Amino acid sequence: MNTANRYTSFVKQFFLSYGCSIVNDHHSHFTIQLTCEMDEEIMNRPFYWHYMKKMNREGAPMQLTFTDTEQKKNGGIYLHAGTPKLHTLYNTAIQKGRTARLYEVVREISGRNKAMSPWLIVNALLHYRGKKAKDEPISIGINLIHGTMMLGMMDKIQNIDFETKVSDYTFPMSPVISLTSAYKRMERHIETYVSSLDNEWAIDSLHHLEKEKKLLESFYESEDIDLESFTKEREQIDNRYKPYIEMEVINGGLFYISQDTSAQWIYH
Amino acid sequence: MLEIRPDHSFIQTLQENLDHPDKLATWDGFKLAHQAAQFKTVPKFEGLLSLDHLPHVNFMEHQVEAAETVVHQMNGRAILADEVGLGKTLEAGLILKEYMVRGRAKKILILTPASLVNQWIQELNEKFYIQAASPRKKQASWKEWDVTVTSIDMAKRENHREEILSIDYDLIIIDEAHKLKNHKTKNYQFVQSLKKTYCLLLTATPIQNKLSDLFNLVSILKPGYLGNLTDFKKKYQKNAEEEDNIQHIHSLVGHLMIRNRRKDTGLDSSKRKVVNELLSFTEEETAMYQKLEALKANHPSFTWLTLAKELCSSREACYMSLKQLKKNAPEEKAKVYDEYIEAIGQLPHHVKAKKMAELIEKTEEKFIIFTEYRATQFYLQWYLQQHGITSVPFNGKFNKSKRDWMKQLFQNKAQVMVATEAGGEGINLQFCHHMINYDLPWNPMRLEQRIGRIHRFGQEHDVKIYNFAVKDTIEDHIMKMLYEKIEMFKNAVGDLDHILEQIPGGSFDQQIQSILKQSDSQGEVDIKLSNLVSYVEHTVNERRESS
């Protein structure tokens, strides 16, 4: 799948999931009818909606046309990595999809009740910051009954059906491990993981930091700069070079997963 | 041990939301959030990721390289000193975007001359998808705005100053930074006390007169880097001639400065063709020109030079000055000017105006016409209108919105823009590729600035430039004496502007001004001007031999 299509399917999926409809769908070109809620959320026209509400009127939500080609002839918002509207959608998606409690859909015909294990699943970004910067996505799951930890969790559950209601003939088990302690284990895991990495980038940053600090100190000693700018500059050098990793959780939730399903991960 | 900054808030939010099912996401919503985060991820340390975000902008190689060097080698503090028209603003925008994409810059302050604020905001929005705000007199929310564009004068006002100084900016960009060369000014001190992580200084003329100017710019980026000013002066000022010292400074500064030259970039792919149009006055005009010479006897040479030069431009320009002279003269002498004023009223249309209309009528192409005089500007607009040619005026005194409006009118409706000298800076007109220099400024480099308005990054056509001058007049003289020689030097060395800015005792421009003001006769003007040109020639030759 090329990148343009990745954006297209994300955009369509996004709007469909939040109750909007596709009114026109051509090859490389489609139009979305927004709902009032979505219009208010992403179109950035607060005055219009404020006015409509005040007048007790319904308001007309807008339509948006997207395209995955640069050709301007049909108009529409060209979808590429930098499209501002796309970034609005990212932020809206992240904000709306931050937490969940979901149950695996199980079609049980034997009539016997099936136990569903609780998992804490967390998706996060590790922001590597120093002289240079990058991110690493990470997805961890911990079984809250026996503490098994799994990595690459999102990939594993991507194609499983989940619902917000528990399926018939299944029952969710109560967690033995609390969310907080499971989360702490994840943090510890990240520490171990990070220290196992080749951290050349951090060493390089530290090296640079020391070099700049020494240089600055020598300027101060030879009275080329005064104390005030020394202190300020010292802080700014830290800002620029000091290496650290910031963990930012994107989303996470409590997932109830059948043992048949999780058994496949553990034994494969 | 590497510091890890944990996310403390999340697990609490999850616990709270589990008690409020309406705050929980569906499986689709959860997956979408995860996917959105994947899209936003910065996958690697290297390269310029912002390029993928800006497929609609065709960056030139030297611009991409500059941005990469600043981000990855200079670590975000640099002087961008490309020659005029090579797209420093685009380089700065690209660097800014890169830091934003990589999550390193959120609070950004851009300081630029007031006349360029709108242009910056527009370019950031259209080319970089960055929404920037600009404060009005009373209304400003420095803390809330992430990206702010304003002038130093606005920023250092009492009601803004403290708040701005209290903010930790991730990135500060200072346009036209050469204006900060003097460390004693309030502007310099203000800039020096801003809190910043990354910092870009944009200037086309990094070394205007003195090495200490450069020292002061470097001190904004890296205090102490070149020692302190007193020692620096002691060490280099006296021995500024010594090649070793200069080399040393240049190698130090090289780690902080990027300077692309026109000749090193692909920009010359759009060529400029310069045509010197030497026109002849009509009989009546020649008579008038000769008549003016009588004024030489009992006026300072400057007066005659001015009037003669004005007559080469338009009757109107000359008329305005004569009226002014009359007004300022004591009553008994005021009458002297009447005959000149009378005579000038009898003149037919100016030979240059006719030539101009001829050139423009031949084609549908857009033209920008530069004149030094407001009176000529009015006359030309009227004259064009008489010939059914649409035109818009432009001058530096227009406020921001009027400038923008005139530019738009020129782009979409009018064939011609008639601009005065003051309109030379701060407007980009790449959509136009014909220029008429209707009269010639004394300083040939001023012409360079004018040409830079249209022959710059983004120009796709060859640029055609007509320089108008009238034969056997002061203009002819300027052309032979200054333009042709300087043009020759320009071909010999690339960085002529650099040499012209470094003449001892003031820049080329300042030199010319003082020669004109302080000479008693035209002979003296000539001698001094030719000395000045010889000095430039000498420097040029020296430069060639040493390189």
Side-chain angles (χ1 to χ4, degrees):
Chain A
M1 208 185 337
N2 67 31
T3 42
N5 279 339
R6 257 173 45 205
Y7 300 128
T8 309
S9 58
F10 172 81
V11 170
K12 284 183 182 168
Q13 191 63 46
F14 174 87
F15 285 115
L16 289 176
S17 301
Y18 290 110
C20 306
S21 52
I22 302 177
V23 289
N24 225 326
D25 196 356
H26 299 294
H27 180 69
S28 82
H29 218 85
F30 61 96
T31 303
I32 302 285
Q33 173 61 58
L34 301 178
T35 60
C36 293
E37 294 74 33
M38 189 51 79
D39 186 304
E40 237 184 301
E41 207 146 357
I42 67 167
M43 296 311 289
N44 193 23
R45 42 177 196 157
F47 296 115
Y48 174 78
W49 289 108
H50 182 78
Y51 176 74
M52 280 299 155
K53 279 175 197 162
K54 211 156 196 183
M55 301 299 289
N56 226 348
R57 280 168 56 187
E58 234 180 51
M62 290 167 84
Q63 293 194 345
L64 280 180
T65 300
F66 294 91
T67 168
D68 61 9
T69 57
E70 211 170 338
Q71 290 157 358
K72 290 227 169 88
K73 64 172 194 261
N74 294 322
I77 300 167
Y78 169 39
L79 289 173
H80 60 78
T83 314
K85 195 47 94 203
L86 199 50
H87 284 261
T88 311
L89 299 192
Y90 292 163
N91 296 337
T92 311
I94 289 172
Q95 177 218 323
K96 283 175 168 291
R98 189 156 163 79
T99 53
R101 174 170 43 217
L102 294 164
Y103 304 88
E104 184 185 349
V105 176
V106 175
R107 291 183 183 80
E108 185 57 47
I109 36 170
S110 71
R112 276 174 46 212
N113 282 356
K114 214 170 191 179
M116 306 291 279
S117 304
W119 289 72
L120 171 64
I121 293 177
V122 169
N123 298 314
L125 283 181
L126 299 181
H127 300 293
Y128 293 64
R129 295 289 181 260
K131 199 177 129 196
K132 298 183 169 186
K134 74 166 182 183
D135 306 327
E136 184 187 358
I138 189 163
S139 177
I140 313 180
I142 287 183
N143 183 309
L144 298 178
I145 301 291
H146 48 63
T148 304
M149 182 158 68
M150 301 246 76
L151 300 176
M153 201 62 192
M154 248 347 237
D155 291 340
K156 292 190 166 62
I157 61 172
Q158 193 75 34
N159 295 316
I160 298 174
D161 278 344
F162 285 95
E163 269 295 345
T164 49
K165 295 258 154 31
V166 62
S167 298
D168 290 346
Y169 304 113
T170 66
F171 67 93
M173 293 162 77
S174 293
V176 176
I177 302 166
S178 75
L179 288 175
T180 338
S181 43
Y183 185 71
K184 283 217 175 89
R185 270 198 62 197
M186 288 180 179
E187 289 185 330
R188 277 202 301 279
H189 165 76
I190 285 168
E191 279 168 27
T192 326
Y193 168 69
V194 164
S195 62
S196 75
L197 290 175
D198 170 21
N199 55 0
E200 199 193 332
W201 68 275
I203 294 170
D204 184 40
S205 293
L206 276 175
H207 177 74
H208 222 89
L209 177 69
E210 286 308 315
K211 210 173 90 182
E212 293 275 332
K213 264 194 330 203
K214 282 215 181 88
L215 197 63
L216 189 70
E217 274 155 21
S218 78
F219 295 155
Y220 180 61
E221 278 159 20
S222 60
E223 291 176 19
D224 289 337
I225 48 172
D226 57 16
L227 183 62
E228 194 197 330
S229 60
F230 172 77
T231 323
K232 208 174 71 180
E233 203 52 29
R234 182 75 179 63
E235 208 175 284
Q236 288 165 355
I237 289 177
D238 267 348
N239 285 344
R240 277 165 85 199
Y241 297 115
K242 197 174 174 207
Y244 65 93
I245 291 177
E246 187 180 330
M247 176 184 171
E248 181 201 5
V249 174
I250 298 303
N251 62 2
L254 191 53
F255 284 72
Y256 289 91
I257 298 170
S258 73
Q259 279 157 11
D260 295 346
T261 304
S262 58
Q264 291 170 22
W265 310 329
I266 296 166
Y267 298 111
H268 281 86
Chain B
M1 184 59 210
L2 189 54
E3 183 195 349
I4 297 176
R5 301 184 183 170
D7 186 328
H8 287 304
S9 67
F10 170 73
I11 201 71
Q12 212 179 339
T13 313
L14 176 61
Q15 275 169 328
E16 283 163 15
N17 287 2
L18 286 174
D19 293 333
H20 300 92
D22 56 309
K23 288 189 178 165
L24 295 171
T26 61
W27 177 222
D28 275 344
F30 192 84
K31 280 198 285 193
L32 282 165
H34 173 254
Q35 204 189 348
Q38 304 295 308
F39 282 134
K40 281 177 75 173
T41 299
V42 172
K44 55 180 187 188
F45 285 129
E46 301 78 22
L48 287 184
L49 301 163
S50 46
L51 290 176
D52 292 340
H53 287 243
L54 308 166
H56 58 296
V57 187
N58 289 320
F59 291 103
M60 285 175 65
E61 217 171 293
H62 73 268
Q63 294 168 334
V64 175
E65 262 170 39
E68 272 213 66
T69 312
V70 170
V71 174
H72 293 303
Q73 268 144 52
M74 299 178 171
N75 303 309
R77 285 204 184 184
I79 301 173
L80 298 179
D82 287 1
E83 281 178 343
V84 179
L86 291 182
K88 282 188 291 291
T89 321
L90 280 185
E91 286 169 13
L94 192 53
I95 294 165
L96 162 59
K97 185 77 180 181
E98 186 68 20
Y99 277 123
M100 288 178 97
V101 169
R102 284 184 184 273
R104 298 307 319 257
K106 188 162 182 282
K107 288 298 279 185
I108 291 135
L109 178 66
I110 297 167
L111 295 172
T112 170
S115 57
L116 299 178
V117 168
N118 271 4
Q119 198 171 310
W120 266 92
I121 291 180
Q122 196 183 348
E123 286 216 357
L124 286 177
N125 183 19
E126 285 171 8
K127 299 215 169 94
F128 295 98
Y129 302 133
I130 294 169
Q131 301 296 328
S134 148
R136 308 262 164 224
K137 264 181 198 138
K138 292 205 171 129
Q139 156 209 18
S141 30
W142 302 98
K143 293 236 162 71
E144 275 114 77
W145 291 337
D146 282 340
V147 185
T148 316
V149 184
T150 189
S151 65
I152 295 186
D153 290 329
M154 179 71 90
K156 70 168 199 237
R157 278 179 195 216
E158 220 167 305
N159 47 339
H160 300 320
R161 186 190 160 84
E162 290 311 311
E163 203 173 343
I164 294 177
L165 289 179
S166 75
I167 297 173
D168 284 299
Y169 283 102
D170 299 313
L171 171 62
I172 290 181
I173 297 175
I174 300 171
D175 196 4
E176 309 271 338
H178 51 268
K179 293 188 176 149
L180 291 173
K181 59 195 174 178
N182 185 349
H183 70 287
K184 285 180 188 141
T185 58
K186 287 225 166 76
N187 281 3
Y188 185 88
Q189 282 153 8
F190 174 72
V191 166
Q192 189 67 293
S193 45
L194 289 166
K195 289 196 268 186
K196 61 197 190 279
T197 302
Y198 303 112
C199 183
L200 302 175
L201 302 178
L202 277 54
T203 168
T205 46
I207 309 170
Q208 275 199 314
N209 290 321
K210 294 174 286 179
L211 278 172
S212 60
D213 296 352
L214 185 65
F215 173 90
N216 288 324
L217 285 188
V218 170
S219 297
I220 295 174
L221 298 178
K222 282 206 170 187
Y225 189 66
L226 297 177
N228 68 43
L229 186 58
T230 329
D231 290 350
F232 179 85
K233 275 189 174 160
K234 257 188 230 153
K235 196 165 171 192
Y236 296 110
Q237 206 85 332
K238 274 193 206 147
N239 314 322
E241 310 281 297
E242 277 174 34
E243 202 58 26
D244 278 1
N245 275 335
I246 304 223
Q247 285 297 324
H248 179 62
I249 292 182
H250 278 255
S251 76
L252 280 177
V253 173
H255 297 293
L256 292 171
M257 183 159 91
I258 288 188
R259 179 151 172 87
N260 288 306
R261 289 166 192 287
R262 195 171 283 274
K263 64 173 162 53
D264 307 329
T265 64
L267 196 86
D268 283 336
S269 59
S270 110
K271 294 200 174 55
R272 53 169 83 171
K273 266 195 211 152
V274 181
V275 182
N276 289 337
E277 290 276 5
L278 208 51
L279 308 167
S280 297
F281 265 153
T282 56
E283 249 171 60
E284 297 102 310
E285 284 166 326
T286 313
M288 182 70 211
Y289 191 82
Q290 282 162 355
K291 196 175 169 73
L292 282 175
E293 302 216 357
L295 287 170
K296 274 188 191 176
N298 44 12
H299 285 82
S301 71
F302 188 60
T303 309
W304 177 77
L305 279 171
T306 307
L307 289 171
K309 211 160 161 299
E310 281 169 347
L311 187 61
C312 291
S313 176
S314 69
R315 307 166 301 190
E316 285 72 5
C318 190
Y319 171 80
M320 295 301 282
S321 286
L322 283 167
K323 285 237 342 202
Q324 196 60 37
L325 275 173
K326 182 181 169 186
K327 207 176 132 202
N328 293 342
E331 215 173 308
E332 67 276 15
K333 282 193 183 161
K335 279 188 191 147
V336 179
Y337 302 106
D338 285 341
E339 60 169 308
Y340 295 99
I341 292 173
E342 171 69 23
I344 216 161
Q346 306 297 320
L347 286 182
H349 282 300
H350 203 280
V351 54
K352 279 181 173 175
K354 289 181 197 157
K355 180 73 190 173
M356 168 193 78
E358 236 172 71
L359 280 173
I360 296 172
E361 275 171 337
K362 265 194 276 186
T363 97
E364 303 272 286
E365 303 277 2
K366 288 190 187 298
F367 277 77
I368 178 158
I369 298 169
F370 272 105
T371 170
E372 296 216 282
Y373 307 104
R374 293 292 293 280
T376 306
Q377 186 187 27
F378 288 129
Y379 168 62
L380 291 182
Q381 277 211 275
W382 176 84
Y383 190 81
L384 286 167
Q385 191 211 3
Q386 295 299 303
H387 284 71
I389 299 167
T390 49
S391 72
V392 292
F394 193 88
N395 82 59
K397 292 199 182 100
F398 287 175
N399 64 25
K400 288 184 227 165
S401 54
K402 194 163 179 188
R403 278 164 180 251
D404 294 344
W405 175 233
M406 287 303 160
K407 180 181 164 181
Q408 293 237 306
L409 278 180
F410 181 34
Q411 185 160 14
N412 302 323
K413 299 251 194 299
Q415 190 185 355
V416 176
M417 175 180 267
V418 186
T420 53
E421 193 59 51
E425 271 180 71
I427 176 171
N428 301 334
L429 306 165
Q430 288 98 322
F431 55 85
C432 168
H433 46 273
H434 291 266
M435 176 182 286
I436 295 176
N437 289 302
Y438 190 84
D439 36 45
L440 299 179
W442 286 98
N443 183 355
M445 295 318 282
R446 185 113 7 111
L447 219 59
E448 202 57 32
Q449 283 175 356
R450 291 177 175 179
I451 296 170
R453 295 301 111 210
I454 61 170
H455 190 221
R456 54 171 34 237
F457 175 67
Q459 178 58 267
E460 285 157 8
H461 297 84
D462 286 355
V463 171
K464 196 149 188 194
I465 293 135
Y466 301 90
N467 294 332
F468 281 10
V470 183
K471 215 172 165 182
D472 300 325
T473 63
I474 182 76
E475 272 193 338
D476 194 1
H477 197 66
I478 298 176
M479 189 108 107
K480 288 206 178 96
M481 189 135 185
L482 297 170
Y483 279 63
E484 288 173 6
K485 289 226 173 95
I486 297 287
E487 186 64 27
M488 243 163 55
F489 305 154
K490 210 171 79 196
N491 296 334
V493 288
D495 54 351
L496 188 65
D497 53 339
H498 182 99
I499 294 173
L500 293 184
E501 292 291 354
Q502 274 191 315
I503 296 168
S507 69
F508 193 74
D509 207 20
Q510 291 160 339
Q511 301 270 3
I512 288 179
Q513 291 309 320
S514 60
I515 290 175
L516 293 177
K517 291 232 167 74
Q518 288 161 14
S519 301
D520 291 328
S521 66
Q522 206 204 328
E524 195 181 335
V525 172
D526 284 358
I527 293 170
K528 285 182 176 167
L529 281 181
S530 83
N531 283 344
L532 179 62
V533 171
S534 309
Y535 177 81
V536 175
E537 187 174 12
H538 170 74
T539 320
V540 168
N541 287 336
E542 251 185 359
R543 186 71 58 104
R544 267 158 88 189
E545 278 157 24
S546 68
S547 67

